């Protein structure tokens, strides 16, 4: 399912969730944003492509993988791709300025994000978003998160797509020309309501700060 809002506005953002079926917080957050019109204030400037649930089979079964036991977020450079991945790839006919992927991490003790951006002068982008999110939920302040060096809840992704054996969705977006690709991770141990609230704070924050830094 794809939802489009603000077609042909100056900037283009992708908001997606549910690529891992055992991470319902992102799906619920997208639904909450739409139900509460949280994106409406940005429609003068932003065209939104919204994918509320990329992996519906996984969501229905409560599993990370799809019905073919495939981790969709590892298969964006495979051929032929799974049908769910192909559907996502088709939306990149025009590049996005910003992509926001809503995830959960059951092993994390706080909110964190992965950041992949083109402009070094905008490296504080993710930190500004986390500053806003920490008003809702604690950040993961570990020096290492999921095997990656982290600072203040942010993992700065330096590798290029050609350096990776597999491509997650964020790397495909970057390969297709996105200026900034963020993977947002709520702490899965928090109550669902709090996880949803955190993502609902992060997405508008990202839109505001993108316009401050990149435009």
């Amino acid at each position: 399912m794809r939802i489009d809002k603000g077609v042909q506005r100056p900037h283009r953002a992708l908001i997606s969730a549910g690529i891992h079926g055992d991470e319902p917080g992102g799906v619920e957050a997208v639904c909450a944003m739409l139900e509460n019109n949280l994106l409406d204030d940005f429609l003068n400037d932003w065209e939104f492509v919204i994918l509320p649930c990329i992996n519906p089979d996984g969501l229905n079964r409560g599993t990370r993988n799809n019905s073919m036991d495939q981790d969709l977020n590892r298969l964006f450079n495979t051929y032929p791709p799974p049908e769910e991945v192909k559907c996502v790839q088709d939306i990149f006919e025009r590049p996005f300025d910003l992509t926001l992927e809503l995830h959960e991490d059951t092993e994390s003790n706080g909110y964190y994000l992965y950041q992949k951006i083109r402009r070094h002068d905008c490296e504080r982008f993710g930190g500004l978003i986390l500053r806003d999110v920490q008003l809702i939920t604690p950040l993961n302040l570990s020096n290492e998160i999921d095997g990656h060096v982290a600072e203040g809840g942010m993992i700065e992704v330096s590798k290029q797509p050609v350096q990776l054996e597999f491509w997650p969705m964020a790397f495909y977006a970057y390969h297709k020309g996105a200026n900034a690709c963020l993977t947002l991770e709520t702490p899965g141990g928090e109550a669902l309501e709090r996880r949803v609230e955190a993502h609902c704070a992060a997405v508008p924050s990202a839109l505001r700060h993108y316009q401050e830094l990149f435009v």
Side-chain angles (χ1 to χ4, degrees):
M1 178 182 179
R2 167 179 170 169
I3 299 169
D4 293 88
K5 295 174 73 69
V7 178
Q8 298 298 322
R9 297 303 191 269
H11 308 296
R12 195 166 189 246
L14 171 64
I15 301 172
S16 68
I19 198 168
H20 292 144
D22 59 351
E23 300 176 10
V27 178
E28 294 288 341
V30 171
C31 292
M33 280 184 264
L34 293 171
E35 290 169 1
N36 294 292
N37 303 313
L38 296 186
L39 301 176
D40 285 7
D41 287 345
F42 300 94
L43 289 177
N44 286 335
D45 299 304
W46 287 93
E47 172 185 344
F48 295 107
V49 176
I50 303 167
L51 304 177
C53 185
I54 295 172
N55 180 10
D57 287 333
L59 182 69
N60 288 336
R61 297 183 300 129
T63 60
R64 177 182 178 92
N65 296 349
N66 68 359
S67 59
M68 302 296 291
D69 199 29
Q70 297 168 307
D71 185 339
L72 300 177
N73 207 32
R74 299 293 182 270
L75 299 173
F76 275 80
N77 63 337
T78 59
Y79 186 84
E83 186 60 32
E84 300 96 330
V85 171
K86 177 63 168 60
C87 289
V88 174
Q89 291 174 328
D90 287 345
I91 71 173
F92 287 90
E93 71 278 359
R94 290 193 292 121
F96 290 92
D97 295 289
L98 174 64
T99 65
L100 301 168
E101 300 177 38
L102 279 53
H103 282 257
E104 297 186 68
D105 185 344
T106 57
E107 297 180 355
S108 178
N109 61 6
Y111 201 99
Y112 68 95
L113 61 82
Y114 294 86
Q115 172 174 274
K116 179 71 175 170
I117 61 175
R118 296 188 184 277
R119 287 175 48 179
H120 295 299
D121 61 324
C122 297
E123 288 179 347
R124 62 194 184 98
F125 181 40
L128 293 173
I129 298 164
L130 292 170
R131 184 189 65 185
D132 295 336
V133 171
Q134 70 180 349
L135 300 175
I136 307 298
T137 192
L139 304 182
N140 185 334
L141 298 178
S142 301
N143 293 326
E144 181 178 302
I145 302 174
D146 197 26
H148 302 280
V149 175
E151 182 176 353
M154 184 168 68
I155 300 167
E156 188 75 47
V157 181
S158 59
K159 287 186 176 180
Q160 299 301 314
V162 294
Q163 297 175 285
L164 292 184
E165 180 180 352
F166 64 83
W167 287 8
M169 183 176 165
F171 272 76
Y172 186 82
Y174 188 82
H175 172 70
K176 286 294 185 176
N179 281 334
C181 304
L182 299 182
T183 303
L184 308 171
E185 300 272 1
T186 59
E190 287 273 12
L192 178 60
E193 180 180 348
R194 181 66 62 84
R195 282 141 52 199
V196 169
E197 188 180 359
H199 274 328
C200 286
V203 170
S205 174
L207 296 168
R208 288 194 303 271
H209 291 306
Y210 184 95
Q211 289 179 278
E212 293 170 3
L213 295 177
F214 289 82
V215 178

